[in-house]
Amino acid sequence: MANGSRKLSWLRAYASVYMVFLYAPVVLLPIFAFNDSTVIAFPLSGFTTDWFASLKGNSALKDAVSNSLIVAVTTAMISTILGAFAARAGVRYRFPAKRGIMGLILLPLVLPEIIIAVALLVMLMRLGLSLSLWTVIVGHVLVCVPFSIAVLNSAFSGLDQSLEEASFDLGETAWGTFRRVTFPLILPGVISSLLITFTISLDEFIIAFFLTGTDVTLPVYIWSQLRFPAKLPGVMALGTLLLLLTISLLIVAEFFRRRSAQRRGLDASTTEGLI
Amino acid sequence: MTAAKAENPKPIITLDNVTRSFGSVQALRGVTAEIREGEFFSLLGPSGCGKTTLLRMIAGFDEPTSGAITLDGKPMAGIAANHRPTNMVFQSYAIFPHLSVADNVGYGLKKKRLPKAEYDREVEEALKMVSLGGYGPRAAHTLSGGQRQRVALARALIMRPKVILLDEPLSALDKKLREQMQIELRRLQRSVGITFILVTHDQEEALIMSDRIAVMFDGQIAQLDSPEALYRKPNTQRVASFIGVMNFLEARPIGEKGDKISLDIQALGLLDIPASALPEGMAASEISRVGVRPEMMSIVLEGAKSTGHDIEAEIAEAEYYGDMTYYLVKLSGKDEPVTISMRNTAGRAVLEAGSKTRVSFSPESIVVFQ
Amino acid sequence: MDVQNEGRKGLLLVSPTFLYAILLLAAPLILVVMFSFWTQDYLDLDTTPTLANYKEAWSEPLYRELMLRSLRISVLVTTVTVLSAFPVAYYVSFRVKERKALWLFLITAPFWTSYLLRVFLWKVILGYNGVFNSALLWTGIIEEPLQFILYNVNAVVITLAHAWAPFAILPIFVALEKIDRSLLEAAEDLGDGPVRRFFRVTLPLAIPGVMAATLIVLIPTVGDFITPRLVGGTEGLMISNMIQVQFGKANNAPLGAALAVSSMFIVGGLSLLIFLASRRVGRVAGE
């Protein structure tokens, strides 16, 4: 295996370089957020927390954050509910035109977001509806449902059907079975679906850009700031906070996924369901 | 035999020409049977014979396509699983992984809203019944396979159902534990007196545990009898070879005289067998084959006296099993060797292939087939 | 459960999600197609069907150039992304023994940071005074800052290859994980060296994953307009930028719709070709 170990080191070196490539922009974000200069470039000039402080008094930013939170929370809830219906149906039942129906629901995965945005925009124009946070939510739900289905699929397929039968057999009703058996067992999947769809919606720009009205979401706000060099360090600080938020949400999601695997007696180190 | 069975064979479940089809596939083709109160009843058959479908219909997870199931005098059509006085022990045990052992066992009791003390007492009693006293607070996913099986049983017992249904409950256990659980289950069933219906593909398991066994093939009951009757007087060759080993020999009826039937049997020659060997509803003239169990024949030891019926033979192969040796023995006049089992008692040497010997048998042990 | 009964229950259960997709995905998409046959004059919409928009979309040199360029860039991005992702997926699947989940987490984590900011940060890295140039100048490899890396196609390719990395790695990884390791031992046992074994067994079995990765990267890159806008300069602009302009400033939604439908058709056709080709490759490589 002398040959094998050399090959291993080449692959390993490549993988390491690749990881540097993946993390390069992410690492720069906090660096410039604390850099005491309005120019986003090297060399660094000094340490400051001013940029974070400057975010505090910014009312446009506050509006954007609260708009984004409204959109992301609503999107997460709607798409997780819709995702749960579809995932349950897909895992448990065979029904006519199943491939076609599931195909349409999962279509946004392979559809350029600009197409979804444009299509919804055209329909809203046709119906004479004005743009608002709700129109953004409608678009985000379309994009988020497939991700929710992917997460919940593994939750539902890990659910032994005989558990629900056992509950019926012991005298429980359909609702009681859902409350006492099904829901507690898929809960970790539900939470991780909520977190993932929340994160996607919070970060989504293209659809929000087309469908947002006067109330802008956070990414649209950031986009508008990117044009002004003076605002950039503030954007970096904001990005750093967002980075911290999403990373902690992801870790929480991963924690719930592992716990659900453990509860079902699976090997927690497996990768099922991880996106 | 249980007292209930001997005195009062009252049926707890009647199956009246029950059929079930899935699309064009007929899983059950008209099953009619009565299951008696308090008996340990087994549905035995190879996979795909419809035994699990039948069990699930009794539980209420499925409805017959035609025919009727009556439980304790009430027709079950349209009654869902949660309203039937049956409880099931699932093949996978279906232990709720998010609940403790006690919460699993007490799952069905919760609806009754018992006072806490009484609830706790009932749960602990049920756990004691399956020798798991004190296990209540444990998390379900820490249990071993055998313990899960017991919890599943306690969870059903606590409901005091009319019937407990067991879907291959021992198939996931290893051999030693399985044998131990077979005896335990049997003992428990006798002490609580609840009717048990067991689905299994393991003939030995069915023989050990059951009061009566329904052998099923292709969606029909081939024979319903006590274990002993099934083994000694299987009514078809298929049943005979499914339960234990049976040597088949061509046979031709020659005549009947009194309580004896004369047969000309391949390799054994002319023989009189008791007329009681004839299954009900079958005429002596219909006999075309006979069967002999391996342990009903024996190899005559060197120098031992002939018992009357013995024939020349040659050992083709010897399979040594420790307590037993199975010999494949060639009889003159039959190409395929027959199987003979011999207990390996002290001082008896295992015969080698090629040894010439004699085989003896008793005509009373011969089973006849159409 | 009855087949019929089961079908009804399944349909009932899937219906809320299905209805949502019909009303808010299928219907708008159909409407876009209809729009592309209409014309608009400021706010007045003329719904007499016409092919004028398509004629314009396909004959106007600017649109044709943008469409071809989008296609070229997308194909380039996809090739680079998938080729660079494959060894990483291979490494994690075959060489990493214990910490696979951690590696996958690390690969996917950057994807969850703001897309806009990631693209913007590439601009910072690749710029004239950027991180990359500063580093090279500092080490003395170059005397003058490199200029060919920002505001052109290269920058778009690098940025998009970064953005879609996890989407390329994961499907390939899943396909590689599914390969029964005893098949590789069998190939070795039958006399294949590591290279032959890779091309005769591993690669053909990984083709479905590679195909999925290709399609997952190709399709959305065509629709991206942030990356070209931020790092592409004028020569990096793509068709989506034009679609955005038509729906925005130019206020010509029907033409935008025709451009969108056209690019969807091109991407769809290309995807189909890739799908068919990969099936062929899978068969030929195995022989």
Side-chain angles (χ1 to χ4, degrees):
Chain A
M1 285 303 280
N3 199 7
S5 71
R6 186 190 294 157
K7 201 168 60 192
L8 181 145
S9 68
W10 273 111
L11 264 177
R12 201 199 178 100
Y14 176 80
S16 310
V17 171
Y18 196 89
M19 294 309 276
V20 171
F21 165 67
L22 276 188
Y23 277 84
V26 184
V27 171
L28 289 178
L29 200 55
I31 292 180
F32 288 115
F34 288 107
N35 184 31
D36 183 14
S37 162
T38 50
V39 185
I40 306 291
F42 282 103
L44 302 174
S45 57
F47 181 84
T48 179
T49 53
D50 288 355
W51 308 123
F52 288 93
S54 76
L55 296 179
K56 262 202 207 153
N58 186 338
S59 67
L61 171 64
K62 273 186 194 147
D63 287 345
V65 168
S66 77
N67 287 339
S68 262
L69 286 179
I70 293 169
V71 170
V73 168
T74 317
T75 299
M77 290 196 299
I78 297 176
S79 45
T80 298
I81 291 170
L82 290 178
F85 277 119
R88 170 78 175 191
V91 168
R92 180 73 183 274
Y93 300 100
R94 277 166 300 161
F95 48 88
K98 184 173 177 177
R99 284 177 69 110
I101 290 173
M102 295 310 272
L104 177 67
I105 293 169
L106 297 174
L107 186 64
L109 274 185
V110 292
L111 213 54
E113 281 187 350
I114 191 170
I115 302 283
I116 295 172
V118 160
L120 279 170
L121 184 67
V122 164
M123 188 168 84
L124 294 170
M125 276 163 53
R126 229 20 220 149
L127 295 175
L129 296 173
S130 58
L131 298 174
S132 66
L133 291 182
W134 278 104
T135 54
V136 180
I137 290 169
V138 162
H140 280 186
V141 168
L142 278 180
V143 179
C144 287
V145 163
F147 286 90
S148 170
I149 290 175
V151 173
L152 291 171
N153 257 347
S154 79
F156 278 117
S157 56
L159 184 72
D160 182 357
Q161 194 179 325
S162 63
L163 291 175
E164 290 169 307
E165 285 182 352
S167 173
F168 277 120
D169 189 55
L170 293 165
E172 237 342 325
T173 57
W175 166 244
T177 297
F178 177 78
R179 192 174 53 83
R180 294 178 67 189
V181 177
T182 317
F183 188 69
L185 286 173
I186 61 158
L187 184 60
V190 169
I191 290 174
S192 103
S193 160
L194 285 173
L195 291 174
I196 283 174
T197 50
F198 175 86
T199 314
I200 292 173
S201 168
L202 195 66
D203 184 39
E204 204 288 327
F205 170 71
I206 296 180
I207 289 173
F209 180 74
F210 275 91
L211 299 182
T212 204
T214 44
D215 298 325
V216 298
T217 64
L218 194 54
V220 178
Y221 170 79
I222 292 175
W223 174 257
S224 69
Q225 300 297 293
L226 286 179
R227 271 180 279 163
F228 309 109
K231 304 267 178 117
L232 288 178
V235 172
M236 294 288 141
L238 180 60
T240 307
L241 294 180
L242 280 177
L243 177 66
L244 284 177
L245 176 69
T246 41
I247 295 274
S248 26
L249 284 183
L250 273 185
I251 290 173
V252 173
E254 174 68 8
F255 170 78
F256 276 104
R257 192 188 67 77
R258 282 182 180 230
R259 208 176 66 170
S260 98
Q262 234 165 31
R263 271 191 180 173
R264 304 199 310 260
L266 302 174
D267 178 8
S269 70
T270 53
T271 51
E272 48 97 32
L274 189 90
I275 303 208
Chain B
M1 297 292 132
T2 53
K5 188 193 155 194
E7 290 157 17
N8 180 21
K10 171 189 158 201
I12 184 82
I13 292 177
T14 45
L15 305 170
D16 184 12
N17 201 17
V18 172
T19 71
R20 179 71 174 97
S21 2
F22 297 96
S24 60
V25 183
Q26 271 210 296
L28 288 177
R29 308 160 181 270
V31 170
T32 299
E34 284 187 351
I35 295 163
R36 298 166 187 160
E37 187 162 10
E39 77 174 332
F40 198 123
F41 189 90
S42 288
L43 295 167
L44 171 67
S47 61
C49 71
K51 57 191 192 297
T52 299
T53 307
L54 189 56
L55 193 77
R56 291 175 61 81
M57 291 201 301
I58 296 171
F61 295 127
D62 199 358
E63 289 281 334
T65 307
S66 70
I69 297 173
T70 313
L71 204 160
D72 200 22
K74 294 185 202 78
M76 284 290 117
I79 297 182
N82 51 349
H83 297 298
R84 293 195 187 188
T86 59
N87 285 107
M88 181 119 141
V89 174
F90 289 82
Q91 187 170 14
S92 64
Y93 308 142
I95 301 298
F96 303 120
H98 58 303
L99 301 179
S100 69
V101 169
D103 286 342
N104 260 285
V105 173
Y107 188 92
L109 280 191
K110 281 262 163 74
K111 295 230 92 175
K112 294 188 184 165
R113 302 191 183 282
L114 299 175
K116 171 123 178 48
E118 197 179 330
Y119 170 85
D120 288 347
R121 193 175 45 74
E122 288 223 19
V123 169
E124 188 56 27
E125 241 169 51
L127 279 171
K128 278 200 185 121
M129 232 187 272
V130 294
S131 333
L132 282 180
Y135 273 67
R138 293 214 190 177
H141 63 83
T142 61
L143 298 179
S144 72
Q147 289 168 335
R148 278 160 187 265
Q149 206 265 324
R150 287 158 198 256
V151 172
L153 193 60
R155 189 172 69 180
L157 283 169
I158 204 169
M159 304 297 290
R160 301 197 183 90
K162 294 260 165 36
V163 179
I164 287 186
L165 308 168
L166 304 108
D167 184 8
E168 308 243 11
L170 305 177
S171 61
L173 306 179
D174 64 49
K175 191 166 184 285
K176 268 258 158 60
L177 189 56
R178 190 162 65 229
E179 286 168 357
Q180 184 196 332
M181 286 307 300
Q182 285 168 358
I183 296 163
E184 245 181 73
L185 263 177
R186 184 71 181 99
R187 200 175 291 153
L188 188 74
Q189 189 270 333
R190 285 191 188 181
S191 73
V192 296
I194 296 174
T195 313
F196 275 36
I197 303 179
L198 172 81
V199 156
T200 181
H201 64 271
D202 182 342
Q203 43 101 5
E204 202 177 296
E205 186 169 297
L207 291 178
I208 292 171
M209 297 167 79
S210 320
D211 292 319
R212 290 193 309 148
I213 300 171
V215 180
M216 291 183 68
F217 296 121
D218 307 324
Q220 278 174 318
I221 293 180
Q223 189 171 358
L224 199 169
D225 247 319
S226 70
E228 199 183 353
L230 267 182
Y231 190 80
R232 287 186 182 253
K233 286 181 75 177
N235 59 13
T236 65
Q237 292 183 54
R238 197 164 176 198
V239 172
S241 41
F242 189 72
I243 294 175
V245 179
M246 180 73 91
N247 294 303
F248 294 104
L249 300 155
E250 304 291 336
R252 195 161 53 85
I254 301 206
E256 283 174 87
K257 31 188 170 170
D259 56 352
K260 298 270 183 202
I261 301 168
S262 297
L263 296 173
D264 180 6
I265 302 174
Q266 178 189 28
L268 303 185
L270 288 175
L271 214 62
D272 287 346
I273 62 157
S276 59
L278 210 57
E280 237 176 278
M282 185 176 150
S285 58
E286 290 177 278
I287 297 171
S288 72
R289 271 183 180 203
V290 299
V292 193
R293 295 282 185 195
E295 69 278 8
M296 294 298 177
M297 293 199 271
S298 61
I299 287 166
V300 182
L301 290 180
E302 203 79 27
K305 264 197 214 153
S306 162
T307 50
H309 293 287
D310 53 324
I311 42 177
E312 298 296 316
E314 185 187 325
I315 308 284
E317 233 175 278
E319 292 166 6
Y320 181 72
Y321 277 80
D323 58 338
M324 305 281 281
T325 302
Y326 279 80
Y327 291 103
L328 293 181
V329 180
K330 284 211 52 123
L331 305 179
S332 54
K334 182 169 164 49
D335 292 337
E336 276 170 47
V338 295
T339 306
I340 298 177
S341 64
M342 297 295 286
R343 193 150 278 287
N344 291 328
T345 46
R348 175 179 282 179
V350 175
L351 297 172
E352 277 173 36
S355 337
K356 303 271 184 209
T357 184
R358 284 180 301 152
V359 167
S360 78
F361 62 93
S362 107
E364 283 75 32
S365 67
I366 284 176
V367 191
V368 299
F369 299 107
Q370 274 181 327
Chain C
M1 211 180 302
D2 259 310
V3 178
Q4 250 191 343
N5 196 5
E6 181 185 335
R8 220 174 306 131
K9 276 190 183 171
L11 277 178
L12 194 69
L13 206 54
V14 83
S15 59
T17 320
F18 184 47
L19 225 62
Y20 191 93
I22 289 270
L23 291 178
L24 296 162
L25 182 64
L29 286 175
I30 292 167
L31 198 61
V32 166
V33 175
M34 283 161 67
F35 239 78
S36 67
F37 292 104
W38 296 343
T39 43
Q40 185 174 346
D41 189 15
Y42 287 105
L43 290 172
D44 301 323
L45 201 64
D46 181 0
T47 56
T48 16
T50 164
L51 284 171
N53 296 313
Y54 284 97
K55 253 182 220 149
E56 196 178 347
W58 288 85
S59 58
E60 178 76 32
L62 172 64
Y63 300 149
R64 217 169 41 197
E65 163 64 18
L66 278 178
M67 231 178 288
L68 283 177
R69 188 194 290 163
S70 296
L71 207 58
R72 219 168 41 232
I73 294 180
S74 302
V75 169
L76 189 63
V77 166
T78 307
T79 314
V80 170
T81 311
V82 172
L83 284 184
S84 64
F86 191 94
V88 180
Y90 185 88
Y91 173 72
V92 177
S93 176
F94 281 85
R95 304 280 179 232
V96 176
K97 297 280 179 251
E98 317 228 305
R99 304 196 158 267
K100 276 185 192 181
L102 179 69
W103 269 88
L104 291 181
F105 181 77
L106 288 177
I107 286 167
T108 42
F111 165 74
W112 296 106
T113 63
S114 166
Y115 180 55
L116 270 180
L117 288 180
R118 267 184 295 148
V119 176
F120 176 76
L121 285 161
W122 276 109
K123 190 168 150 177
V124 173
I125 295 173
L126 301 173
Y128 188 78
N129 287 322
V131 178
F132 197 62
N133 274 329
S134 324
L136 289 182
L137 282 172
W138 184 70
T139 54
I141 294 175
I142 53 169
E143 307 266 305
E144 281 283 299
L146 303 173
Q147 295 197 31
F148 64 86
I149 47 175
L150 187 60
Y151 298 127
N152 57 23
V153 176
N154 294 338
V156 176
V157 172
I158 292 175
T159 309
L160 285 176
H162 178 263
W164 294 100
F167 288 90
I169 295 175
L170 287 184
I172 300 175
F173 169 79
V174 170
L176 289 173
E177 279 290 278
K178 276 192 194 149
I179 297 177
D180 181 354
R181 298 307 193 248
S182 63
L183 290 177
L184 304 181
E185 286 169 2
E188 201 168 333
D189 187 55
L190 294 169
D192 270 2
V195 177
R196 277 175 71 82
R197 188 185 71 182
F198 176 81
F199 283 104
R200 289 178 67 188
V201 181
T202 315
L203 193 58
L205 290 175
I207 287 290
V210 174
M211 190 197 74
T214 306
L215 295 182
I216 284 179
V217 177
L218 179 79
I219 294 167
T221 40
V222 179
D224 191 2
F225 69 91
I226 307 173
T227 305
R229 264 282 281 280
L230 281 179
V231 301
T234 45
E235 71 162 283
L237 284 183
M238 289 163 68
I239 190 68
S240 301
N241 300 86
M242 187 49 71
I243 295 174
Q244 188 235 319
V245 167
Q246 295 301 336
F247 277 95
K249 279 182 207 139
N251 200 15
N252 190 350
L255 180 58
L259 289 172
V261 172
S262 303
S263 53
M264 264 199 336
F265 264 99
I266 294 175
V267 177
L270 189 65
S271 306
L272 196 67
L273 276 180
I274 291 172
F275 176 73
L276 294 176
S278 80
R279 285 207 339 201
R280 234 186 125 82
V281 169
R283 267 204 306 273
V284 173
E287 279 160 12

